[in-house]
Amino acid sequence: MTDYRDSSFEARISTVEFRVSDRAHITVDTEICRACTTRTCVHACPADLFVPTSDGGILFNYEQCFECGTCYQICDAQGAITWTYPDGGSGVAFRRG
């Protein structure tokens, strides 16, 4: 058994598998995001999946989401982020290497 306390983040994340569904389990309403001044999702997402765009919107990639729900919980703009569980058999799979 691997002792993860002494391994780097990169070593631990290399054991993660992402099973991407055709249906996004998180959607972002970019029109609502344009009015946001805090951009908490950009700073809080542990997978760095939210990127501000030059036109004031947010670019989001659900394909490597850890499914932690941080973005949904921390978003200041009601309705900007919709979060559901991925379809069965899809999503993140944490494995021990």
Side-chain angles (χ1 to χ4, degrees):
M1 184 162 104
T2 304
D3 184 358
Y4 285 98
R5 292 174 293 186
D6 296 326
S7 37
S8 69
F9 175 78
E10 290 78 17
R12 284 181 274 164
I13 201 68
S14 71
T15 66
V16 174
E17 177 184 346
F18 296 95
R19 300 173 187 150
V20 180
S21 173
D22 290 336
R23 181 189 65 85
H25 66 285
I26 296 176
T27 57
V28 177
D29 186 325
T30 57
E31 289 307 310
I32 295 174
C33 293
R34 287 186 205 294
C36 179
T37 58
T38 60
R39 307 285 182 177
T40 55
C41 60
V42 173
H43 305 290
C45 177
D48 292 328
L49 299 179
F50 291 84
V51 178
T53 60
S54 61
D55 65 352
I58 293 285
L59 179 63
F60 172 71
N61 173 9
Y62 74 95
E63 296 167 344
Q64 293 185 321
C65 177
F66 294 146
E67 299 168 30
C68 65
T70 299
C71 59
Y72 179 72
Q73 294 295 321
I74 201 164
C75 180
D76 292 336
Q78 188 169 354
I81 296 175
T82 304
W83 194 98
T84 60
Y85 287 103
D87 294 334
S90 298
V92 65
F94 295 98
R95 304 178 277 127
R96 290 187 182 231

